[in-house]
Amino acid sequence: MHLSSVQVAWALAALALGVVGAPPSGASHHIQRRSFFTLECKGIYDAAIFARLDRICDDCYNLFREPQLYTLCRKDCFTTEYFKGCVEALRETDQLETFKKYIKIIHGADPGI
């Protein structure tokens, strides 16, 4: 599979930061309300919305296999540029406005991405 320069740049940026994070291990991927608060989400908890946003980060992890990228994608309730980069890498930019609305609901403020 040929990776675009954007995909490679995002993966390298995550590696360069050297942020320690746990990969989404083979353990159960049940979405828990606890994760909502751990990620500093302060809006309205909606399991379906949270699961959809979390799936972007999970798919991004599966594409690049970089634990740090998974952690950075979810950081601050999905409001970092890493989340946007994962959306681009997964070629789901047509859904970006929907994702922004979802983030606004669970984050409680404009995501700024």
Side-chain angles (χ1 to χ4, degrees), residues 69-107:
L69 186 57
Y70 177 76
T71 302
L72 292 168
C73 177
R74 298 175 80 226
K75 186 176 179 180
D76 297 330
C77 199
F78 309 99
T79 60
T80 66
E81 286 295 315
Y82 288 95
F83 179 82
K84 185 177 179 184
C86 284
V87 169
E88 291 171 359
L90 296 168
R91 299 177 192 255
E92 292 201 37
T93 54
D94 59 323
Q95 297 292 314
L96 189 57
E97 289 305 313
T98 300
F99 296 146
K100 286 180 182 181
K101 289 176 189 174
Y102 288 171
I103 293 168
K104 188 172 184 177
I105 290 168
I106 67 168
H107 181 60

Side-chain angles (χ1 to χ4, degrees), residues 3 7-21 61 64-72 82:
L3 297 177
Q7 291 170 323
V8 172
W10 280 105
L12 291 176
L15 287 173
L17 288 175
V19 177
V20 176
Y61 166 77
F64 294 107
R65 294 291 182 191
E66 290 300 330
Q68 299 88 352
L69 186 57
Y70 177 76
T71 302
L72 292 168
Y82 288 95

Side-chain angles (χ1 to χ4, degrees), residues 30-49:
H30 293 287
I31 305 300
Q32 298 177 0
R33 190 173 176 99
R34 182 177 63 222
S35 292
F36 177 79
F37 296 109
T38 302
L39 295 178
E40 300 180 19
C41 297
K42 295 177 174 75
I44 299 168
Y45 176 73
D46 183 306
I49 289 175

